[in-house]
Amino acid sequence: GAVVSQHPSWVICKSGTSVKIECRSLDFQATTMFWYRQFPKQSLMLMATSNEGSKATYEQGVEKDKFLINHASLTLSTLTVTSAHPEDSSFYICSARTGQAILATNEKLFFGSGTQLSVL
Amino acid sequence: SQQGEEDPQALSIQEGENATMNCSYKTSINNLQWYRQNSGRGLVHLILIRSNEREKHSGRLRVTLDTSKKSSSLLITASRAADTASYFCATDDGNNRLAFGKGNQVVVIP
C-alpha cells in the first residue's frame, strides 16, 4: 500500500526557534497533503491543505505566517513552525491523498506516523 | 470543522468479545471512513462506506451507515489485544477534506 514517511518522530526545541517537519510519500505521488494537529486524547484538527505547486489553504484560526507549509514536489510537503512557543507543543500529523483516478484509492488518506513537538 | 462525532466512550472489553462504537455527523456526506490510531502514532485507514451503502464488512469489521439519522457504527468482532487503539470516524463531504470525530478509546484485555 501507499506509505507516507514523516520526520522527525519527535523534537524538543527552545522557545523562539523554528522547527521543520517533513512529510514524504514514498511510493506514490501525492497531489494533496494535509497537516493536522492533535492534542492528547483529542481528535485531529485540520490545519491546512497543501497542493503541489500552489499555496496552502489554511483553516480558519491557523496562522499561516507561523505554520509555513511548502509542497514543492509531488512527494514532499514540509511544515515549519516558526518562532515556536510552549503552546505550540502538540502532535502534528501529515496525510496524503493520491491524485490518481482510481476512485477507491483516491478517497482515503494515508498518514505519516506523526511528530511530537515539545517546546521548552 | 469537525463533523463526525463519536459517542465519547472508552470501551474496556475482554478478548473475544465484540466492540461497538458509534459516530454521528451533521451535514451531507459523500462517504464516511473509520480509522485506527495506536498511541503516539499516525492513523490507519480501516474501512470506507459510501453514502448510498448501508452496511459493509471487512474481515472482523462491520460498518453500518444510516444517512437518515446521520450516524454510523463500527463493530469489531472477536476482539484481540492488538485491537487496543483509538478509533475515529471521518466524514468526506466531497470537498477534498476529511472531518474527524473525537475518537473512541478501546482497550481489549487479554
Side-chain angles (χ1 to χ4, degrees):
Chain A
V3 177
V4 174
S5 175
Q6 184 174 342
H7 292 282
S9 297
W10 57 268
V11 58
I12 301 173
C13 69
K14 292 182 179 180
S15 187
T17 60
S18 294
V19 174
K20 179 185 283 189
I21 302 170
E22 291 189 350
C23 183
R24 293 180 185 271
S25 56
L26 297 186
D27 51 3
F28 67 100
Q29 293 183 334
T31 55
T32 304
M33 287 188 171
F34 304 89
W35 288 95
Y36 292 86
R37 184 173 181 176
Q38 185 180 31
F39 292 103
K41 299 189 186 301
Q42 294 191 24
S43 186
L44 280 72
M45 293 174 50
L46 179 63
M47 299 175 66
T49 302
S50 77
N51 294 296
E52 185 267 336
S54 63
K55 291 184 178 181
T57 302
Y58 290 81
E59 294 299 303
Q60 191 173 5
V62 178
E63 299 176 60
K64 56 185 175 183
D65 293 331
K66 180 166 188 61
F67 299 100
L68 300 178
I69 292 172
N70 184 282
H71 193 161
S73 77
L74 285 171
T75 60
L76 174 64
S77 177
T78 60
L79 167 67
T80 301
V81 183
T82 62
S83 187
H85 287 93
E87 57 265 29
D88 299 323
S89 298
S90 186
F91 191 61
Y92 293 87
I93 311 176
C94 71
S95 67
R97 174 176 273 168
T98 74
Q100 297 168 358
I102 302 172
L103 187 62
T105 307
N106 192 42
E107 291 171 317
K108 64 183 182 182
L109 297 182
F110 301 96
F111 281 83
S113 55
T115 298
Q116 181 65 51
L117 170 63
S118 297
V119 184
L120 304 178
Chain B
S1 61
Q2 296 291 327
Q3 290 194 36
E5 292 189 13
E6 291 83 25
D7 289 350
Q9 293 181 7
L11 298 175
S12 183
I13 58 175
Q14 294 289 330
E15 200 166 32
E17 294 181 341
N18 296 340
T20 300
M21 57 208 89
N22 300 300
C23 167
S24 61
Y25 56 93
K26 297 176 181 176
T27 64
S28 297
I29 61 171
N30 201 20
N31 64 68
L32 185 144
Q33 305 178 31
W34 284 90
Y35 288 81
R36 184 185 73 205
Q37 183 182 34
N38 289 90
S39 181
R41 305 289 293 175
L43 278 70
V44 175
H45 182 269
L46 295 176
I47 194 166
L48 179 153
I49 187 165
R50 302 188 193 287
S51 59
N52 61 351
E53 297 176 311
R54 292 297 167 258
E55 185 172 315
K56 201 161 185 179
H57 296 254
S58 176
R60 294 184 295 112
L61 303 179
R62 172 176 167 255
V63 170
T64 64
L65 179 65
D66 186 336
T67 52
S68 65
K69 295 181 179 178
K70 290 186 168 56
S71 67
S72 173
S73 68
L74 172 67
L75 168 67
I76 305 173
T77 60
S79 63
R80 305 167 181 168
D83 295 329
T84 295
S86 293
Y87 293 83
F88 294 87
C89 75
T91 52
D92 181 348
D93 62 2
N95 288 326
N96 202 35
R97 303 181 312 177
L98 288 184
F100 284 84
K102 297 176 182 175
N104 261 300
Q105 179 90 35
V106 175
V107 176
V108 181
I109 302 168

